[in-house]
Amino acid sequence: MRKLIQLFTLLLIEQKLSPVGVLRKLVYLLALLCFVVLAITGFYPTVVLGKHISGYLIMVHATFAPIFAICLAVLAIMWARNSRFTVGDWPWFQRFVQRVTLVKGTGEQERPKSSLGLKISFWLIIFLALPLALSIVLSMFPLLGTHWQELLLGIHRYTALLFSLAAIVHIYMIIRFKTNE
């Protein structure tokens, strides 16, 4: 029960956050809401019903998609600095370089807990967002014919699947990282 309460409080905005921190968390929560709506409206008809997305589901899907894209762009800008890769993220690589070059290290220093998995999943989400959005936008224009529209729709589907897996892993890692603090 204690873990469930702690998990729920992760979603609430902490009082010690700055206005930028509050904005960052609100944008993240809006993106999370959009992701859930897009995942349900996108995967439910295909996986459960075995049909293509149509009717009200496609209208809801098309309404939340631009909001989600804007949230991802804002999050990419706001979180890019915290998600950049540093030398401390790769201690095994540092040890390898020290062995190869025969340079002695300065001793084992206390390293902060690395969040390499969070950083990789964040950048994977950001990079997958581009083909995810572009594939569906380009499929709306009959520039290269029906075959290319079908191909772009297939790219959108499989990219959405990879994107969803990366987002679920990222959310899981955030929860693990925050509960272990």
Side-chain angles (χ1 to χ4, degrees):
M1 184 66 170
R2 182 174 176 227
K3 288 280 187 186
L4 184 63
I5 292 171
Q6 187 178 14
L7 180 64
F8 180 71
T9 57
L10 287 174
L11 296 176
L12 302 176
I13 297 173
E14 302 158 10
Q15 296 297 318
K16 61 184 177 183
L17 286 177
S18 67
V20 174
V22 171
L23 179 65
R24 184 183 302 152
K25 193 145 192 182
L26 287 174
V27 170
Y28 183 78
L29 290 175
L30 180 60
L32 192 61
L33 173 71
C34 289
F35 170 71
V36 169
V37 170
L38 289 170
I40 290 171
T41 59
F43 289 123
Y44 177 75
T46 331
V47 174
V48 177
L49 301 177
K51 298 179 181 177
H52 294 290
I53 182 173
S54 63
Y56 288 115
L57 288 179
I58 200 162
M59 290 171 35
V60 171
H61 195 82
T63 302
F64 277 84
I67 298 168
F68 185 59
I70 291 168
C71 287
L72 281 178
V74 170
L75 287 174
I77 292 168
M78 294 178 108
W79 284 17
R81 182 172 183 182
N82 293 338
S83 297
R84 69 185 187 275
F85 296 106
T86 60
V87 177
D89 291 330
W90 312 94
W92 58 270
F93 186 69
Q94 280 181 309
R95 290 189 300 271
F96 174 74
V97 169
Q98 287 174 353
R99 277 191 222 129
V100 169
T101 60
L102 301 174
V103 175
K104 296 202 180 216
T106 58
E108 283 299 314
Q109 302 160 356
E110 188 65 29
R111 290 190 182 104
K113 191 174 10 171
S114 177
S115 57
L116 182 62
L118 270 173
K119 293 175 183 181
I120 290 172
S121 63
F122 170 77
W123 287 113
L124 188 60
I125 287 169
I126 296 303
F127 287 127
L128 284 173
L130 190 61
L132 182 64
L134 283 178
S135 62
I136 201 64
V137 169
L138 289 176
S139 72
M140 293 178 193
F141 300 105
L143 298 173
L144 300 172
T146 308
H147 174 71
W148 281 96
Q149 287 177 327
E150 291 172 3
L151 179 67
L152 288 169
L153 185 60
I155 290 171
H156 182 74
R157 285 182 184 150
Y158 290 112
T159 307
L161 181 62
L162 290 173
F163 182 92
S164 298
L165 291 174
I168 290 169
V169 167
H170 185 73
I171 293 166
Y172 170 76
M173 293 180 95
I174 284 179
I175 292 170
R176 286 276 314 255
F177 197 72
K178 293 289 184 184
T179 54
N180 289 339
E181 283 184 347

